[in-house]
Amino acid sequence: MIRISTAETNQNRKANKGSVKYPDVQDARFHDGMIFPGLKPGFSISKSDKVFTLGSCFARNIERQLGGYDVPTTNYVPEENDPLKGRGNTVFNEYNAGTIAQRITAATAGGVQDDTGIIAEGTGVSDFYITGSVPTEIEIVRKRRALMRDIYAHLPSSDLLIVTLGMVEAWFDLETQTYLNRAPGPECFRDPENKGARFELRILNHDECLELLTPAFEKAFAAGLKRIMLTVSPVPLQRTFGADDAVIANSYSKATLRSVATSLAKSFETIDYFPSYEMVTLFAGNPFIEDNVHVKPEIVARVTKYMLEVYGKAE
């Protein structure tokens, strides 16, 4: 609960005099179909900053708009024989609070790595920490992990970490007690009592997300990270493994993560929330491409441009 005295509400009204009412189409915050919420940046971003991007596919959209910045994840070069080579740096996509926390914790521990999360599948092994991973030889998976570890080594020394929270549905490996970034393979669903018994779906709530992310962020700051910008991905849940319709499951997921983002921003002086979710989902037109899932590049560009304009002016 946030408790605010009457005196404080008066101060808020004066400080937010241009933002206390929801904008209509005549409001200065509404322009060309998009709402640009009033912001109070807690820090600034400069061209000399090292910016690490982590989270769902929307994080990749943001980093593509950060031309001229030092963005370590854009330096990833996969091996020629890697079956995921065509995916480029989308192998860094992290969708749930569990895998995001695991990545940050590993990066702050010097990138300690073993074969946890590498699981036999088909005629080879797959890295279940990577969404869309496919079976291949274990040495290829280990080499990919080593290349990714070298990129993640930049996270603790970054000036800014942009974290894009994606969904609350998360597969969990009961054998290794770790969160996964993809669902078990078809054979697990064909034999749920045997091969599938190793895994369970966890639909995380607000407190569980906080319990995962808070210590991970504390470790990152202790290791040298300066600031975090939290965003919530506007990209909807494409498929649900829960009992509800995907539309309903997506609404719960985004509402939960939006609440989590505010709680974290209130708990850490060095964390800001940036409203990319609101800017995209409240767009007066259709912000998505033909699949009705992924955001149009021009919309992402407008959102990122606003972020850099506002944070570039911060004191």
Side-chain angles (χ1 to χ4, degrees):
M1 178 187 298
I2 299 174
R3 296 186 174 184
I4 305 174
S5 68
T6 304
E8 288 178 289
T9 62
N10 284 337
Q11 293 174 0
N12 290 341
R13 290 176 61 206
K14 293 176 182 178
N16 299 332
K17 57 184 177 181
S19 304
V20 293
K21 294 183 178 180
Y22 196 86
D24 58 25
V25 295
Q26 303 300 321
D27 195 291
R29 288 168 292 160
F30 183 84
H31 178 68
D32 207 11
M34 181 172 283
I35 295 174
F36 295 83
L39 302 176
K40 298 176 182 177
F43 50 77
S44 62
I45 304 174
S46 69
K47 282 281 189 177
S48 61
D49 286 343
K50 181 193 293 186
V51 181
F52 203 99
T53 53
L54 179 63
S56 76
C57 56
F58 194 70
R60 307 281 78 81
N61 292 336
I62 292 175
E63 73 185 11
R64 282 194 288 270
Q65 302 297 327
L66 295 175
Y69 287 80
D70 179 6
V71 183
T73 50
T74 62
N75 297 325
Y76 173 71
V77 180
E79 294 284 286
E80 285 295 328
N81 62 345
D82 189 338
L84 301 184
K85 180 178 182 296
R87 292 260 316 271
N89 73 343
T90 63
V91 295
F92 287 90
N93 289 354
E94 303 287 342
Y95 291 93
N96 64 77
T99 60
I100 290 173
Q102 286 170 186
R103 290 293 192 188
I104 293 174
T105 300
T108 59
V112 176
Q113 176 179 310
D114 55 23
D115 286 346
T116 303
I118 299 177
I119 300 173
E121 186 175 43
T123 58
V125 297
S126 294
D127 188 344
F128 275 50
Y129 291 165
I130 296 179
T131 181
S133 58
V134 296
T136 187
E137 300 170 16
I138 191 167
E139 290 308 319
I140 293 177
V141 175
R142 287 172 175 163
K143 179 61 176 177
R144 182 199 302 138
R145 281 193 167 190
L147 293 173
M148 293 177 67
R149 181 187 61 215
D150 291 343
I151 298 294
Y152 275 112
H154 290 273
L155 190 154
S157 63
S158 293
D159 298 288
L160 175 65
L161 170 63
I162 300 178
V163 178
T164 303
L165 305 175
M167 64 178 69
V168 296
E169 287 193 16
W171 282 95
F172 190 77
D173 184 349
L174 294 166
E175 182 175 307
T176 61
Q177 292 293 295
T178 60
Y179 285 92
L180 306 176
N181 217 13
R182 52 152 286 190
E187 60 186 21
C188 292
F189 292 99
R190 287 194 295 266
D191 187 9
E193 300 303 322
N194 184 12
K195 292 185 179 181
R198 175 175 176 174
F199 309 99
E200 70 177 14
L201 177 69
R202 294 187 172 183
I203 301 178
L204 303 172
N205 62 30
H206 176 276
D207 289 344
E208 288 163 342
C209 289
L210 283 182
E211 289 169 5
L212 288 164
L213 294 171
T214 298
F217 288 170
E218 290 173 342
K219 291 173 184 176
F221 287 131
L225 178 69
K226 294 183 176 63
R227 304 177 296 276
I228 292 177
M229 178 180 288
L230 278 178
T231 64
V232 173
S233 174
V235 176
L237 179 70
Q238 297 182 52
R239 179 177 301 166
T240 180
F241 289 92
D244 291 328
D245 183 285
V247 174
I248 299 171
N250 177 69
S251 180
Y252 170 76
S253 182
K254 301 304 183 183
T256 300
L257 294 176
R258 180 61 190 85
S259 177
V260 167
T262 288
S263 294
L264 289 166
K266 296 289 186 183
S267 299
F268 292 84
E269 291 184 358
T270 45
I271 293 182
D272 268 16
Y273 172 73
F274 180 76
S276 57
Y277 175 77
E278 289 86 343
M279 293 178 70
V280 173
T281 57
L282 296 176
F283 182 66
N286 180 10
F288 301 105
I289 62 174
E290 289 78 7
D291 64 4
N292 208 31
V293 171
H294 295 94
V295 183
K296 294 175 180 176
E298 59 268 27
I299 299 297
V300 179
R302 292 183 67 185
V303 171
T304 308
K305 181 174 182 289
Y306 182 58
M307 177 186 77
L308 296 176
E309 284 176 351
V310 174
Y311 278 81
K313 297 176 182 177
E315 297 296 330

